[in-house]
Amino acid sequence: FLNASLPSDLAQAIYGALRQLHPQTCLAVRSSAPGEDSAQRSFAGLHESITNVRSEESVIRAVKTVWASLWSDAALLYRRELALDPIRSRMAVIVQEMIPAKTAGVVFGRDPRNQSADKEIVEAVPGACSNLVDGILEPDRWILQRSSGLVLEWVAGKRNSEQHDLPLLTDSALQTLHDR
C-alpha cells in the first residue's frame, strides 16, 4: 500500500482540492470506515491519523498511510475478535483543515461502560486532541446526567504530572456539548 502509487485520477482530484487552500493550511488526514464505531464496537485509535500535514506530497503519503492502517496487525486482530470479515472492510479518508485548539476532547453521548445508564462522558485536555487519544495527557473527565446535562462528577486530569484544581471547560461549554 505504502509503495504503490495512487490512481492518477484520485491523485489529481486530491491535488486539485489542495490547490484551493492557502499553501500554509495545516491539515489532518483521518480514517472514516463504515461501521467503525457503534454501540457494539469502537475502532478508536486502531487506524492511523496524521496531523499537521502541509505539502501536497505529504498529504498523498498520509492518505496511503491511513488506508494501509486498515490492514495493520491491531486492526486485523480486532476485526477477528469481532468476527468481521477483513475482505469486506472499507475505509474513507478525510482530509480536513486543522483548527488550532486551546482545549480539545471527546464526548461520549452514552457512558461506553454502561450504555443503559443515564450518563454521558466528556473528556478534555489542553491543546490538540491527539494529546488525549494518544495518551500523552490524562484528561479532565466529567460525568453528566444524560437526561438533564447536570454535572454529576468532575475529575481533574494530570498535566505534566501535576493535578490541577481548575476545570478546562466551563459549565456553559459543558451545557453546549450536552445540547448538541
Side-chain angles (χ1 to χ4, degrees), residues 37-116:
D37 294 311
S38 67
Q40 293 78 32
R41 56 186 162 249
S42 171
F43 280 76
L46 284 177
H47 299 127
E48 291 291 330
S49 291
I50 314 295
T51 57
N52 300 310
V53 180
R54 293 188 190 266
S55 73
E56 290 179 348
E57 290 309 313
S58 294
V59 170
I60 297 297
R61 274 194 311 276
V63 166
K64 293 193 304 185
T65 299
V66 171
W67 265 332
S69 72
L70 185 65
W71 305 103
S72 72
D73 290 343
L76 289 171
L77 180 61
Y78 190 60
R79 283 183 178 80
R80 181 187 300 165
E81 289 174 8
L82 296 173
L84 298 173
D85 181 0
I87 300 301
R88 299 182 52 118
S89 297
R90 304 287 184 263
M91 180 188 293
V93 177
I94 298 169
V95 178
Q96 62 189 133
E97 183 177 356
M98 289 190 65
I99 306 298
K102 181 178 177 183
T103 303
V106 177
V107 176
F108 298 93
R110 293 189 183 273
D111 183 338
R113 297 161 298 186
N114 182 355
Q115 298 269 322
S116 62

Side-chain angles (χ1 to χ4, degrees), residues 119-133:
K119 295 179 182 176
E120 57 194 25
I121 312 292
V122 177
E123 295 181 339
V125 295
C129 198
S130 59
N131 289 327
L132 171 64
V133 297

Side-chain angles (χ1 to χ4, degrees), residues 97-169:
E97 183 177 356
M98 289 190 65
I99 306 298
K102 181 178 177 183
T103 303
V106 177
V107 176
F108 298 93
R110 293 189 183 273
D111 183 338
R113 297 161 298 186
N114 182 355
Q115 298 269 322
S116 62
D118 185 27
K119 295 179 182 176
E120 57 194 25
I121 312 292
V122 177
E123 295 181 339
V125 295
C129 198
S130 59
N131 289 327
L132 171 64
V133 297
D134 292 344
I136 295 168
L137 297 175
E138 183 180 319
D140 279 16
R141 181 175 291 113
W142 293 263
I143 299 175
L144 282 67
Q145 186 173 40
R146 197 165 184 270
S147 56
S148 68
L150 176 72
V151 175
L152 302 173
E153 182 181 342
W154 170 65
V155 177
K158 290 183 182 173
R159 296 179 273 292
N160 300 325
S161 301
E162 296 177 13
Q163 195 78 29
H164 293 266
D165 56 0
L166 292 176
L168 285 169
L169 299 176

